[in-house]
Amino acid sequence: MKHLTDEEIMLQIADGKLDLLTILFNRYHVRIYNFFNKMTHNKMVSEDLTQDVFLKIIKYKASYKNGNFAAWVYTIARNIFSTHYQKTKKQRANEIGDDLLKSDETTVSENREDELDHLQKALQKLKSSERELIVMHRFQEIKYDQIAQIIGSSENAVKVKTHRAIKKLKEIYFQI
Amino acid sequence: MKCNDIQHKFTGFLDKSLTEVANSEIKKHLKSCTNCNQELEELKSFLAVLDSQEMETPSANLRSNFNKMLAQEIETVTPKVIQLKLQQDWKSYLKIAASIVIIIGAFLFGKHQSNIPQIVSIKNENQEEVLALLENSSASKRILGVSDAEEFTKKDTKIIEALINRLFFDKNANVRLAAAETLSKFSSEIIVRDALIKSLETDENSTVQIELIRILAKIQEKRAIESMQKLLKNEETPQFVKQQVELNLPNLL
C-alpha cells in the first residue's frame, strides 16, 4: 500500500476503506500540525485542529473528486482554521493586546537573542490571510499555482500578495 | 524602472522564478543603485531566517487520538454493512415466505377456510421476535433488532417504546446511534420527538450527539434549539460537535 499516491489512497478511503487513512495521516500530520501551529501559535489547539482535519476527511470523503489531494487537504485545513479564528476572535483581541506589551518587554531584555521566537511574534502581527501565504509558501514549500488552487485565486495574484506579505513581515521583524 | 518596481520583483529574483528579461533588468539596476542593493541584502538575510524554520513534532497525543477516532469511525460503519446484508437476506426470505403463504392461502381459501387469523399471528410473532432481539445481551443482535424495527409502522407502539428505551439506556453507543436513526423514521410521533430532544440533552457520546443534531435539524424540531445552544456554550463539548451544531442550527432558526 505504501507505494500508492495520495490520490489513489484517498479514492479507496472514499470507497469505504477507512483504515487506509492511517497512511495519509503518517504522510501529512506533521505538516498540517505545523501549518496550524504557525497560524495559531498554540500547540494544544494545533493538535486539536489537526485531528479535526482527519475527522473531516472521513465525513466529507464522498466530496473528494480525484483532484490533487494536498490541495484538497489544505482547503479543509483552511476552513477549519477560519472557523476556529472566527470563534476565538473576541478572546484573541484581548490576548493580542497582552502579547504586544509582553513582546516589547522581551525584545529589550533578550536583545533579539531568540531569533525564532522573535520571528514567531512578528508573524502573529500579520493579518491571517498574509500569514497563511507565508506559511504555505516558505514553510510548507507549496508551489504558487497550488496555493492559487487552495485559496481560489490566480497564480499571479498569489505571487504579488506573497511578496507583499514577506515585505511587511520583514519590516515588522526589524522594527520590534 | 523605478526602485519600487524593482524591489517588488526581489522575491522572484531570489527564487529564480523570473523571466530572463526581468532578471537582467534587475541586475542592471543593481549595478547603479545602492539603495536597492541594501534592500536586497536585507531581504536575503531575512529569508534565510524564514527558511531556517524547522518543522516541529507534535506530541504523541495527536497520534493516539487519531487512532481512537479512526477506530470509532470504522466501528460505526461496520454494523451498517452487516445490517444491509441481513436485511437483504431477510427480504428474499420474506419473498419466499410470502409466496408460500399465498399458495397455502389460496389452497385454504379453496376449502372455504379463512386464513386471516394466521397472517395476524405471523405479524405478532415477528413483533415478539424483534422485541426479544432488542433485549438481547449481544450489542450486534440489538443493532439487528433496531434495524429490523424499521419495517414496522407507527401503530406498533410497543416497538417504538422499545426503541426509545434503547436510545436512552443502551450501554453501547452504536446501538443508541442505530436507535436514533430508526426513530427518525417515526418522527411524526410526538413521543419520538420528545425522546430525541431529551437524548440530545443527556447523551455524552459525541458521535451520538452529532447524529441527533443532524436528525433534529432534518425533522425541523425547533424545540431543540435551546439544547443545541447549551451544547455550544458548554466548554466540554468537543470542537467538531459544536461545528455540527453551527452547521445545522441556521436551518432551525
Side-chain angles (χ1 to χ4, degrees), chain B residues 217 220 222 228 243-253:
Chain B
Q220 287 288 310
K222 294 202 192 308
M228 287 191 196
Q243 276 174 10
Q244 187 74 14
V245 172
E246 279 165 356
L247 196 69
N248 283 296
L249 202 52
N251 297 342
L252 289 177
L253 295 174

Side-chain angles (χ1 to χ4, degrees), chain B residues 90 93-94 97-98 101 118-134 144-145 148-149 151-152 156 158-159:
Chain B
W90 196 55
Y93 175 70
L94 246 194
V101 168
Q118 253 179 332
I119 288 176
V120 170
S121 79
I122 285 174
K123 208 187 160 208
N124 276 339
E125 263 172 44
N126 264 340
Q127 194 184 26
E128 296 294 320
E129 220 172 89
V130 170
L131 286 175
L133 271 180
L134 285 173
L144 178 62
D148 282 353
E151 305 290 327
F152 291 87
D156 295 294
K158 264 192 186 168
I159 294 275

Side-chain angles (χ1 to χ4, degrees), chain B residues 52-232:
Chain B
S52 69
Q53 297 271 301
E54 274 167 22
M55 290 263 184
E56 269 181 51
T57 319
S59 80
N61 278 343
L62 180 55
R63 182 176 292 274
S64 77
N65 285 339
F66 166 77
N67 286 337
K68 255 184 248 161
M69 181 273 283
L70 186 61
Q72 208 179 11
E73 288 296 327
I74 289 174
E75 206 189 324
T76 46
V77 171
T78 336
K80 279 183 189 161
V81 177
I82 295 169
Q83 161 194 333
L84 270 178
K85 272 188 193 158
L86 285 169
Q87 252 180 359
Q88 273 170 356
D89 288 347
W90 196 55
K91 272 183 189 158
S92 56
Y93 175 70
L94 246 194
K95 275 180 204 158
I96 298 166
S99 45
I100 293 172
V101 168
I102 291 170
I103 293 166
I104 295 176
F107 175 68
L108 292 179
F109 189 71
K111 286 196 150 194
H112 303 283
Q113 280 176 352
S114 167
N115 64 337
I116 291 168
Q118 253 179 332
I119 288 176
V120 170
S121 79
I122 285 174
K123 208 187 160 208
N124 276 339
E125 263 172 44
N126 264 340
Q127 194 184 26
E128 296 294 320
E129 220 172 89
V130 170
L131 286 175
L133 271 180
L134 285 173
E135 298 298 331
N136 198 295
S137 61
S138 143
S140 61
K141 285 274 164 55
R142 295 201 298 277
I143 289 183
L144 178 62
V146 169
S147 64
D148 282 353
E150 275 181 20
E151 305 290 327
F152 291 87
T153 60
K154 59 183 181 184
K155 279 179 198 151
D156 295 294
T157 43
K158 264 192 186 168
I159 294 275
I160 291 179
E161 275 165 19
L163 283 173
I164 292 177
N165 225 8
R166 285 299 115 216
L167 178 66
F168 281 156
F169 302 116
D170 207 292
K171 288 183 300 226
N172 187 301
N174 288 328
V175 178
R176 299 203 300 279
L177 199 63
E181 261 168 44
T182 305
L183 278 171
S184 69
K185 304 210 165 61
F186 300 109
S187 64
S188 56
E189 297 296 291
I190 191 81
I191 50 163
V192 170
R193 285 172 167 259
D194 287 345
L196 290 169
I197 297 174
K198 177 93 184 140
S199 134
L200 179 63
E201 281 169 12
T202 50
D203 208 305
E204 280 169 0
N205 181 293
S206 49
T207 320
V208 179
Q209 286 173 333
I210 285 179
E211 183 63 21
L212 287 167
I213 293 165
R214 207 183 56 75
I215 292 173
L216 285 164
K218 200 172 151 202
I219 63 173
Q220 287 288 310
E221 180 50 73
K222 294 202 192 308
R223 288 178 296 157
I225 292 175
E226 202 183 323
S227 6
M228 287 191 196
Q229 277 165 345
K230 258 187 219 160
L231 276 178
L232 276 184

Side-chain angles (χ1 to χ4, degrees), chain A residues 43-166:
Chain A
K43 292 179 207 286
M44 287 274 279
V45 168
S46 299
E47 284 182 7
D48 285 350
L49 297 182
T50 308
Q51 164 99 345
D52 276 0
V53 169
F54 288 96
L55 190 70
K56 281 252 161 86
I57 292 179
I58 294 183
K59 296 280 173 233
Y60 298 123
K61 58 186 190 302
S63 77
Y64 175 73
K65 296 278 182 281
N66 204 12
N68 181 294
F69 176 75
W72 189 65
V73 108
Y74 273 100
T75 314
I76 294 178
R78 278 186 86 229
N79 287 340
I80 286 175
F81 172 74
S82 108
T83 315
H84 166 81
Y85 177 82
Q86 296 301 336
K87 226 178 281 173
T88 50
K89 216 175 188 177
K90 261 196 189 159
Q91 200 186 328
R92 241 173 42 88
N94 301 334
E95 277 174 18
I96 280 190
D98 292 346
D99 270 358
L100 278 173
L101 283 176
K102 272 186 219 149
S103 67
D104 284 346
E105 285 166 21
T106 45
T107 36
V108 177
S109 59
E110 285 176 18
N111 212 5
R112 288 190 192 168
E113 268 183 348
D114 194 352
E115 245 181 10
L116 297 187
D117 192 43
H118 187 67
L119 180 70
Q120 189 61 263
K121 274 172 190 147
L123 206 49
Q124 295 305 314
K125 290 201 166 71
L126 288 180
K127 276 196 274 177
S128 70
S129 58
E130 298 166 330
R131 184 158 68 239
E132 169 180 84
L133 287 171
I134 295 179
V135 172
M136 287 201 272
H137 182 63
R138 301 298 314 188
F139 301 143
Q140 307 255 333
E141 292 172 5
I142 305 175
K143 300 258 180 302
Y144 285 125
D145 60 329
Q146 267 202 15
I147 296 179
Q149 203 184 325
I150 295 167
I151 69 172
S153 177
S154 76
E155 190 177 339
N156 243 338
V158 171
K159 268 190 197 169
V160 173
K161 280 185 200 157
T162 310
H163 171 78
R164 279 199 199 128
I166 289 177

Side-chain angles (χ1 to χ4, degrees), chain B residues 15-82:
Chain B
D15 285 348
K16 299 191 174 93
S17 68
L18 291 183
T19 59
E20 250 173 67
V21 180
N23 235 349
S24 58
E25 258 181 2
I26 290 175
K27 278 184 189 161
K28 209 170 110 190
H29 180 90
L30 281 173
K31 275 180 193 160
S32 58
C33 180
T34 43
N35 198 12
C36 281
N37 266 309
Q38 196 195 336
E39 172 70 25
L40 183 65
E41 284 313 308
E42 261 183 49
L43 187 66
K44 246 193 222 170
S45 70
F46 177 65
L47 286 179
V49 175
L50 260 192
D51 296 342
S52 69
Q53 297 271 301
E54 274 167 22
M55 290 263 184
E56 269 181 51
T57 319
S59 80
N61 278 343
L62 180 55
R63 182 176 292 274
S64 77
N65 285 339
F66 166 77
N67 286 337
K68 255 184 248 161
M69 181 273 283
L70 186 61
Q72 208 179 11
E73 288 296 327
I74 289 174
E75 206 189 324
T76 46
V77 171
T78 336
K80 279 183 189 161
V81 177
I82 295 169

